[in-house]
Amino acid sequence: MALFVLASCQLMVVLDITIVNIALPHIQSALEFSTTSLAWVVSAYTLTFGGLLLLGGRAGDILGRRRVFIFGVLLFVLASLLGGLAQNAGQLLGARALQGVGGAIASPTALSLISTTFREGPERNRAFGVFAAVSAGGGAIGLLAGGILVEWLNWRWVLFVNVPIGLLIVLATPRWIRESERHPGRFDVTGALTSTVGMVLLVYGFIRAAQEGWRDALTLASFAAAVVVLTGFILIERRSRQPITPLHMFADRNRAGTYGIMLCLAAAIFGMFFFLTLFVQNVLGFSPLEAGLAFLPVSAVIAIGAGLASRFLPVYGPKPFMVIGAILAAAGLAWLTLTDVHSTYAGSVLGPMLVFSLGMGMEFVSLTLMALSNVPTQETGAASGLLNATQQVGGSLGLSILVTMFGTARTNEAEKQPKPGPDEILTAGVSAAFIMAAIFTVVAALIALVVIQVRPSDLERLKGGPGPGPM
């Protein structure tokens, strides 16, 4: 029951990244977003989520993980209610950002509670397998749920639905989850704010470039400001006694490689859901419900990949699954670049989507275990927060880069003579975005192949043996 409660929270938080995707065409018309600025509906959530995850993880370590977990879920519920009531673009983006704050508090404490609730070895491996499958498959489930809600009710219910779910989680938590030991420490608020502001500026620069071009003064100013703020963030972290981002965690080769892989893969999976959702609704003509059903096989195949990885990790270690998973994801994305206005779902979308999903299922279990391997108990919140942060920041930054590729390719296609139709223009942009996403996954495969090293003691620990002490 403890695992069910924690996984339900993670499902709600992850699901919210994509449940809104199905509603994007309706949100665009209702609140007057442009196609490129529409990415902010996703990024406003993921940026605050990713930027404040480390602060959320640290809060759980210091104040008690169960207490902080409940507060995060309640904040998420409030923000969801406000988002559903939004009457203009600014109100919606503000509510989405507040949702990200709530998710940033709840998600890392949920993962930390798994680390402290389940014994290291097969028991924890299975728990992480469930958690990783929910994290990876929640995106596809969100698309299906979003399709149902938009089709039968309206787009506002993709936000309202979180209210009853979150309240049930809050009521169940005190009954099934024990409070964790509290550790002394301080909050690095300055580090959290500078990292978040720096990433917002960087993402804004890419999205602005898609709209106004690379020579636009505000685009260049945004990039310059991002460099300054992020440099300040690194300097703050190096001098802080208790930094929000423990830089010593990057000293471990495997953990640093894991974070790099997660950055690349998150960019790919965010882009796949965002652009494929636009393609199946705007080009293939799917209704929201049909679009949601079209993504349903993704969850099943991700679960299969996660199950395979969980079962054979103690035998082969995580590295083979990291490499093979990234290669499969790259193959699926490369296949998706072949889509055009004459493509069909069964002939051009389903196959590559399943190949991509199988690889992602293998990846998320392996990455979760590797990121938390050899981490002292008092730092599990920071370690899990850092893993989640790289996922959300990688997704936000990657999506902004893909939107830039999309916008450039779409502009070039629109300038061709004779002038192509809107479906041809959209498809050209989507194909360009998938090319870049495939490049991200190839980089992830290379990092896994070159950087990750699995020692015999790591395999012993996965089998339930003691292994060496925390580094």
Side-chain angles (χ1 to χ4, degrees):
M1 286 302 300
L3 180 60
F4 177 77
V5 172
L6 296 171
S8 296
C9 173
Q10 184 67 2
L11 177 62
M12 181 181 68
V13 170
V14 173
L15 178 148
D16 213 71
I17 298 170
T18 57
I19 192 172
V20 174
N21 277 15
I22 287 292
L24 286 176
H26 298 265
I27 292 173
Q28 182 177 11
S29 60
L31 301 182
E32 300 180 353
F33 282 92
S34 68
T35 303
T36 48
S37 66
L38 200 60
W40 278 112
V41 178
V42 177
S43 294
Y45 175 74
T46 55
L47 277 172
T48 52
F49 189 9
L52 298 176
L53 270 168
L54 300 172
L55 190 63
R58 177 58 60 84
D61 291 341
I62 297 173
L63 301 177
R65 290 164 188 155
R66 189 179 73 175
R67 180 182 295 106
V68 170
F69 174 76
I70 291 173
F71 175 77
V73 174
L74 285 174
L75 185 60
F76 190 89
V77 166
L78 173 63
S80 298
L81 180 62
L82 294 175
L85 297 172
Q87 298 300 308
N88 56 54
Q91 290 176 3
L92 178 62
L93 295 182
R96 290 287 286 165
L98 187 61
Q99 272 188 303
V101 176
I105 296 171
S107 183
T109 49
L111 188 54
S112 297
L113 284 167
I114 286 182
S115 297
T116 55
T117 302
F118 298 93
R119 293 190 302 272
E120 191 165 29
E123 181 179 295
R124 190 183 294 179
N125 293 349
R126 287 192 295 271
F128 276 145
V130 171
F131 196 85
V134 166
S135 299
I141 296 171
L143 292 170
L144 174 60
I148 293 171
L149 293 170
V150 173
E151 186 88 3
W152 294 351
L153 298 170
N154 60 52
W155 68 265
R156 296 182 184 278
W157 279 92
V158 301
L159 296 165
F160 286 148
V161 71
N162 294 321
V163 176
I165 297 173
L167 291 177
L168 287 174
I169 291 171
V170 168
L171 291 174
T173 298
R175 177 177 176 83
W176 299 106
I177 298 174
R178 299 187 306 272
E179 182 58 279
S180 65
E181 180 183 353
R182 297 167 67 172
H183 301 279
R186 299 170 60 187
F187 294 107
D188 181 15
V189 177
T190 306
L193 291 178
T194 51
S195 65
T196 304
V197 171
M199 290 308 304
V200 168
L201 289 168
L202 194 58
V203 169
Y204 177 77
F206 280 110
I207 294 179
R208 176 83 182 181
Q211 295 174 316
E212 305 295 337
W214 290 96
R215 297 181 180 179
D216 175 70
L218 195 54
T219 300
L220 297 175
S222 179
F223 284 129
V227 171
V228 172
V229 174
L230 291 174
T231 301
F233 162 70
I234 294 172
L235 293 176
I236 289 170
E237 298 306 279
R238 291 183 64 181
R239 296 174 182 175
S240 175
R241 290 184 177 181
Q242 294 183 337
I244 191 78
T245 306
L247 298 181
H248 68 268
M249 288 195 175
F250 292 95
D252 182 275
R253 174 180 180 143
N254 286 342
R255 196 171 299 117
T258 297
Y259 294 145
I261 294 169
M262 180 61 87
L263 279 171
C264 296
L265 294 180
I269 197 167
F270 274 51
M272 191 276 285
F273 281 129
F274 184 85
F275 290 107
L276 211 51
T277 301
L278 293 179
F279 180 80
V280 298
Q281 290 193 73
N282 294 337
V283 178
L284 299 185
F286 282 23
S287 70
L289 179 57
E290 289 172 334
L293 291 170
F295 287 97
L296 187 58
V298 171
S299 294
V301 177
I302 283 177
I304 291 171
L308 288 172
S310 298
R311 181 175 181 180
F312 293 106
L313 268 169
V315 180
Y316 301 106
K319 181 171 181 174
F321 296 101
M322 289 181 172
V323 176
I324 295 171
I327 291 173
L328 287 173
L333 289 167
W335 193 354
L336 281 172
T337 64
L338 303 178
T339 53
D340 57 33
V341 293
H342 305 294
S343 296
T344 62
Y345 172 75
S348 304
V349 175
L350 180 60
M353 192 169 63
L354 296 182
V355 172
F356 176 87
S357 302
L358 182 63
M360 282 296 177
M362 294 180 179
E363 284 286 352
F364 280 107
V365 176
S366 307
L367 293 171
T368 302
L369 283 170
M370 184 62 77
L372 296 179
S373 177
N374 290 339
V375 176
T377 302
Q378 66 271 21
E379 290 189 341
T380 55
S384 60
L386 192 54
L387 178 65
N388 273 311
T390 54
Q391 180 180 356
Q392 303 309 321
V393 170
S396 302
L397 181 58
L399 181 58
S400 67
I401 295 171
L402 296 178
V403 165
T404 304
M405 297 291 294
F406 167 84
T408 303
R410 195 180 60 167
T411 300
N412 293 338
E413 184 72 14
E415 292 174 351
K416 289 183 177 179
Q417 296 295 334
K419 189 174 180 64
D423 287 352
E424 285 83 357
I425 294 173
L426 178 66
T427 302
V430 169
S431 295
F434 284 143
I435 291 172
M436 191 69 224
I439 292 173
F440 286 145
T441 53
V442 170
V443 172
L446 291 174
I447 294 174
L449 187 63
V450 175
V451 176
I452 301 299
Q453 292 182 341
V454 179
R455 296 152 294 204
S457 59
D458 296 323
L459 293 176
E460 186 65 27
R461 187 181 299 103
L462 290 172
K463 294 175 183 177
M471 292 185 298

